[in-house]
């Protein structure tokens, strides 16, 4: 059996796995639930969005929404009223991720029981 060659110059992680930057953007801890809620329930005010994602803190929600707005996945609309009103909605770019989330949901339904069994078998050893 031959041993695989080791590269003298390591490959840039983004070149080794070109989806890494996408995974960093879309699949961080709170991004997926935020995008899902905005896609599923439409435009929402901050408090409603926070209620829909029960365990997220206001600070973390604010940080994630700012990052998602910066990445172009969420649109923030400020209404200059008294009191001011701010609403968030998923952008067209964010909505383009819906088929990917649907495929992941399908994969999860089909394969998470297998993952659970594998974990139980591994832990039993």
């Amino acid at each position: 059996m031959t041993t695989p060659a080791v590269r003298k110059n390591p490959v840039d992680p983004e070149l080794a796995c070109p989806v890494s930057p996408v995974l960093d953007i879309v699949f961080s801890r709170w991004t997926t639930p935020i995008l899902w809620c905005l896609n599923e329930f439409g435009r929402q005010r901050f408090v409603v969005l926070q209620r829909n994602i029960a365990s997220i803190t206001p600070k973390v929600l604010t940080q994630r929404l700012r990052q998602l707005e910066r990445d172009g996945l969420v649109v923030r609309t400020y209404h200059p009223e008294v009191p001011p009103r701010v609403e968030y909605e998923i952008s067209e770019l964010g909505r383009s991720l819906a088929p990917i989330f649907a495929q992941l949901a399908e994969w999860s339904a089909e394969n998470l029981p297998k993952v659970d069994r594998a974990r139980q078998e591994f832990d039993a050893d």
Side-chain angles (χ1 to χ4, degrees):
M1 175 163 39
T2 59
T3 308
V6 176
R7 294 182 58 97
K8 290 182 182 181
N9 298 319
V11 175
D12 180 340
E14 290 184 14
L15 296 176
C17 182
V19 298
S20 290
V22 175
L23 296 175
D24 290 342
I25 293 168
V26 178
F27 295 106
S28 68
R29 170 74 173 103
W30 293 107
T31 299
T32 307
I34 292 169
L35 290 175
W36 184 86
C37 280
L38 291 173
N39 188 57
E40 190 72 16
F41 304 119
R43 180 182 292 191
Q44 297 171 56
R45 293 180 74 171
F46 183 91
V47 225
V48 174
L49 186 55
Q50 185 183 2
R51 281 188 209 126
N52 284 331
I53 308 170
S55 55
I56 194 168
T57 66
K59 178 183 176 183
V60 171
L61 181 56
T62 299
Q63 291 170 341
R64 293 307 318 152
L65 284 169
R66 284 186 183 150
Q67 186 63 49
L68 290 168
E69 183 181 10
R70 181 175 181 258
D71 292 339
L73 300 174
V74 166
V75 175
R76 178 182 183 268
T77 305
Y78 173 79
H79 301 277
E81 304 169 347
V82 178
R85 181 170 49 103
V86 177
E87 295 177 317
Y88 296 91
E89 62 185 310
I90 193 166
S91 69
E92 284 303 313
L93 181 60
R95 198 175 276 59
S96 71
L97 292 165
I100 296 168
F101 288 145
Q103 285 182 323
L104 286 171
E106 187 179 306
W107 185 92
S108 297
E110 186 177 321
N111 292 296
L112 282 183
K114 296 173 189 174
V115 171
D116 286 339
R117 279 194 303 280
R119 287 176 178 171
Q120 290 171 4
E121 289 172 10
F122 183 89
D123 292 345
D125 290 340

